[in-house]
Amino acid sequence: MKVTVVGAGAVGASCAEYIAMKDFASEVVLIDIKEGFAEGKAMDLMQTASLMNFDTQITGVTNDYSKTANSDVAVITSGIPRKPGMTREELIGINAGIVKSVATSLIEQSPNVIIIVVSNPMDTMAYLAHKSIGIAKNRIIGMGGALDSARFKFRLAEALGCPQSDVDGMVIAGHSDTGMLPLTRLAVRNSVPVTAFLSEERLSEVAEATKVGGATLTKLLGTSAWYAPGAAVSSMVQAIACDTKKMFPCSALLDGEYGLTDISIGVPCIIGKNGIEKIVELELTDAEKAKFKESAAGVRAVNELL
Ligand code: NAI
């Protein structure tokens, strides 16, 4: 399994690190536009191999896509992150050009690659990747919901005062502060709906904290987060590499599912060796459907800026 990670910045390097530590890939190629940067990150990571017990070979290259040839999976993290007070949507001007050219270069070298798009505004960048290279829709996956759901579980466990491993929950719809839809109704603690433990008011606080999870970290860090984003991507790459058929909410190009077409937005997906192997259609309540529709309108408005 060969994985290319485009962008050796905070998220790209964290993603490469988690992939290596899980030791399921034979090779990770880190590629960046900044001269020597990916080489440096790769060398630093390789010097952790004997300490962390992994055999994954990590190499770094500056803008030489020939080194990415025949990748099974490629992750696009190249582009600028937001600064405190910025929305993800404000990044579109710079990131659209980067994502389009990167996706084109990747597919030239690896015609069968499965691409995971991370750069923001992610739903629009995933849509742009679909429109730019036109490969089968199961092979372009946007990462947002896996991260947002991890943040939701963190907030749920905090509110319940229990371990995160006891809770489950999912965030669907657009990957934006206003567009996210944490499904509080379906969240569980050891199979019991969390509504049995938390008041409606407390649950709506949990949902709100989840939605601004990225902005909260950006304010604290001065730039956007990297550990949880990197871990979320690595879990998705692992699901493809090991054909686990695990379910993650991912930004998928819809073709009638949830009543929508020609939009990439967060929905539960079964991930395996073919990328998105199935889009799961949840039975949403009328209120959830209305929020999903509103979120989709927000994503479409950003797509219009392309
Ligand atoms: P960063 O600034 O640390 O790293 C970005 C890297 O991309 C830099 O090293 C830069 O040199 C490189 N780059 C720029 N143009 C390039 C090109 N044409 N080819 C190759 N490399 C290029 O930024 P960070 O924190 O790693 O974030 C990366 C992106 O991921 C941002 O757009 C951010 O908003 C997004 N993000 C998305 C998340 C999600 O859930 N979808 C979560 C966290 C970040």
Side-chain angles (χ1 to χ4, degrees):
M1 161 68 57
K2 177 172 176 178
V3 182
T4 287
V5 178
V6 188
V11 176
S14 157
C15 166
E17 181 183 2
Y18 286 119
I19 291 172
M21 296 224 298
K22 291 181 183 181
D23 212 11
F24 59 81
S26 50
E27 196 182 348
V28 173
V29 177
L30 260 179
I31 180 165
D32 202 285
I33 201 165
K34 233 187 287 173
E35 188 70 41
F37 190 59
E39 288 85 337
K41 288 278 180 108
M43 193 185 290
D44 193 9
L45 281 170
M46 277 307 284
Q47 291 169 1
T48 71
S50 66
L51 301 163
M52 305 309 294
N53 296 316
F54 63 78
D55 295 321
T56 304
Q57 189 65 35
I58 309 167
T59 49
V61 292
T62 305
N63 230 16
D64 177 3
Y65 279 84
S66 69
K67 299 289 191 317
T68 71
N70 300 317
S71 292
D72 301 286
V73 181
V75 181
I76 303 181
T77 76
S78 45
I80 53 165
R82 57 182 170 157
K83 297 272 171 242
M86 280 174 91
T87 66
R88 294 174 179 89
E89 292 69 33
E90 286 173 68
L91 306 172
I92 191 169
I94 293 176
N95 288 357
I98 294 175
V99 169
K100 190 172 177 181
S101 79
V102 165
T104 308
S105 303
L106 283 171
I107 209 75
E108 275 168 15
Q109 297 293 334
S110 306
N112 300 317
V113 73
I114 293 172
I115 296 178
I116 300 178
V117 179
V118 181
S119 312
N120 273 317
M122 183 279 296
D123 294 297
T124 297
M125 292 302 103
Y127 179 75
L128 173 65
H130 281 291
K131 294 288 151 188
S132 312
I133 56 176
I135 59 174
K137 63 190 174 76
N138 56 300
R139 287 172 47 212
I140 298 181
I141 315 170
M143 191 293 287
L147 170 65
D148 302 331
S149 299
R151 288 178 172 157
F152 185 34
K153 286 180 244 185
F154 164 75
R155 290 296 179 193
L156 281 169
E158 181 183 59
L160 290 160
C162 74
Q164 288 192 44
S165 54
D166 280 0
V167 300
D168 206 359
M170 192 188 283
V171 178
I172 60 168
H175 178 63
S176 69
D177 295 357
T178 49
M180 274 177 226
L181 176 50
L183 292 172
T184 49
R185 180 180 59 90
L186 300 178
V188 291
R189 174 185 184 174
N190 299 113
S191 310
V192 178
V194 295
T195 46
F197 307 99
L198 299 173
S199 66
E200 207 172 301
E201 194 188 357
R202 187 72 186 98
L203 265 174
S204 85
E205 283 169 8
V206 165
E208 279 315 304
T210 301
K211 287 164 75 172
V212 296
T216 302
L217 283 162
T218 303
K219 206 166 152 199
L220 290 168
L221 297 166
T223 185
S224 65
W226 55 89
Y227 293 120
V233 177
S234 75
S235 299
M236 289 165 62
V237 176
Q238 187 173 22
I240 298 166
C242 305
D243 195 26
T244 61
K245 321 281 188 202
K246 228 179 129 148
M247 186 163 69
F248 298 90
C250 301
S251 192
L253 189 69
L254 300 187
D255 185 17
E257 299 90 349
Y258 292 86
L260 298 171
T261 50
D262 199 38
I263 185 170
S264 193
I265 192 167
V267 288
C269 297
I270 306 289
I271 304 294
K273 64 179 188 312
N274 302 308
I276 296 177
E277 302 205 339
K278 185 178 167 53
I279 293 173
V280 179
E281 290 215 53
L282 298 170
E283 289 245 347
L284 300 178
T285 63
D286 286 346
E288 289 161 350
K289 273 184 200 156
K291 284 188 184 155
F292 194 95
K293 207 171 151 195
E294 200 181 307
S295 179
V299 172
R300 282 199 203 282
V302 183
N303 292 352
E304 299 270 302
L305 303 174
L306 287 172

